[in-house]
Amino acid sequence: RNPGHIPMQALATSLKDGNIRLMDALGGDGDLGSQRFRAALLVGLLVDGVAGGLLPPERFVDTVQEIDAYKDTGVDNYELGDALWIAWCLEGRNAENAEAAGRLVDVSTSLMDKGCLSRRVLMEISEGDFMEAVGLVSSYKDGWRKREIRFNTRNVYAQTKFNMLREESEGYSKLLTLLNQSGEAAVSKDNMDGILTEIKSLIGYFDLDPNRVSGIILDVFAARPENEAFVDLINAFGIHKSAEFLRFRLAGGETVPEGFHRAAGLLVGRGVI
């Protein structure tokens, strides 16, 4: 990443002046995997050349298009986006190097305009200051950042609180009755859709805590581990915290019923957790 690095400078100058063929830069013939690797390495080096002012942005865009057309080698969108984002972190954020930031913005917008780089991929890889600079968002701090914080808070940090004093035991009683039925009404693969619908109805009507419902399902499964239909029920019910529930139960050591060990083994063996 040193602009004065001789091989980088020679490569960028040769491409800029047209004194080197793309095939020579890619290292000649070889299998497709090795060519793609060399293409990714070449793109990373040339992005540094653009940031350092050794290669004009428009010549870099032409090179990317040539690589895309050269024997189906192609430039992966994520590799290209990574190279631009890393160069921005190293050069573009430097207040004393505004020219490098401008060149990186120019090459990024040109790549997106010509279809060489996906806007969606660049938004996945980069952060707000770069997205605002290349025109992906209008205002990062005043608009996008606030929405980003609200979204992360709602989806990652917000917790649904349940008032234990207002919960009715009738809902849990009906849930236990439903899960412990025998005969044709027992939990099985044949009536799985009906069981799931009833469980969701009980949660909604009696305002049950889904985490407690998940724990009850695991408890019933541990009490009757011979019924492997519970594995499908746990998987279909979407209990993504099954591992935490089991770890909490198994932490009791010798006091843990034997059925919990078998239930845990079945869940692990079937790939549910």
Side-chain angles (χ1 to χ4, degrees):
R1 295 188 177 281
N2 181 2
H5 193 259
I6 295 176
M8 177 66 252
Q9 184 174 6
L11 176 62
T13 302
S14 298
L15 283 170
K16 180 177 66 175
D17 298 339
N19 296 327
I20 186 174
R21 296 183 305 165
L22 180 63
M23 184 172 62
D24 298 328
L26 288 175
D29 295 329
D31 61 89
L32 186 58
S34 63
Q35 286 185 4
R36 285 177 174 170
F37 174 78
R38 291 195 295 269
L41 182 61
L42 175 64
V43 166
L45 290 172
L46 293 182
V47 167
D48 291 342
V50 172
L54 300 174
L55 185 67
E58 60 274 11
R59 184 65 186 97
F60 174 79
V61 175
D62 293 340
T63 301
V64 171
Q65 290 179 316
E66 290 175 28
I67 296 175
D68 284 339
Y70 175 68
K71 293 186 177 180
D72 299 323
T73 300
V75 178
D76 184 81
N77 260 230
Y78 285 95
E79 293 173 350
L80 183 55
D82 280 336
L84 292 168
W85 168 236
I86 292 172
W88 176 265
C89 292
L90 295 174
E91 305 288 348
R93 286 177 169 172
N94 187 352
E96 299 179 356
N97 198 0
E99 292 183 358
R103 288 189 288 267
L104 289 171
V105 169
D106 290 342
V107 76
S108 300
T109 53
S110 296
L111 288 168
M112 289 187 291
D113 291 341
K114 295 190 176 183
C116 300
L117 178 62
S118 166
R119 286 173 165 79
R120 179 184 61 81
V121 169
L122 196 58
M123 292 184 75
E124 287 181 18
I125 294 173
S126 59
E127 294 183 5
D129 56 344
F130 188 49
M131 290 193 293
E132 182 177 358
V134 299
L136 292 175
V137 297
S138 57
S139 176
Y140 175 66
K141 292 184 178 179
D142 297 332
W144 182 269
R145 180 58 180 163
K146 292 181 179 179
R147 287 189 295 171
E148 185 180 37
I149 292 174
R150 286 198 297 267
F151 178 84
N152 288 333
T153 301
R154 183 174 64 252
N155 289 274
V156 180
Y157 301 106
Q159 295 181 347
T160 303
K161 297 181 179 179
F162 293 86
N163 190 336
M164 306 296 287
L165 297 176
R166 294 180 57 187
E167 286 188 342
E168 299 181 24
S169 60
E170 181 183 359
Y172 292 107
S173 300
K174 290 182 178 295
L175 176 64
L176 285 169
T177 302
L178 174 66
L179 296 175
N180 284 286
Q181 295 182 99
S182 58
E184 295 182 357
V187 176
S188 65
K189 295 182 179 180
D190 295 333
N191 64 355
M192 188 64 63
D193 292 338
I195 294 291
L196 278 171
T197 301
E198 288 194 50
I199 291 175
K200 293 176 182 178
S201 298
L202 290 172
I203 293 174
Y205 186 81
F206 292 101
D207 196 22
L208 304 181
D209 183 350
N211 289 327
R212 291 186 64 191
V213 172
S214 301
I216 290 173
I217 294 175
L218 284 172
D219 287 337
V220 175
F221 179 33
R224 45 176 65 189
E226 69 280 355
N227 187 356
E228 296 189 11
F230 275 94
V231 176
D232 297 322
L233 176 61
I234 291 172
N235 191 31
F237 190 68
I239 306 177
H240 60 284
K241 295 185 177 179
S242 298
E244 286 82 355
F245 281 117
L246 284 172
R247 180 177 59 82
F248 179 77
R249 297 289 200 283
L250 295 173
E254 296 180 357
T255 61
V256 178
E258 182 180 351
F260 266 104
H261 297 282
R262 183 175 177 185
L266 288 171
L267 291 172
V268 172
R270 294 280 293 275
V272 177
I273 60 174

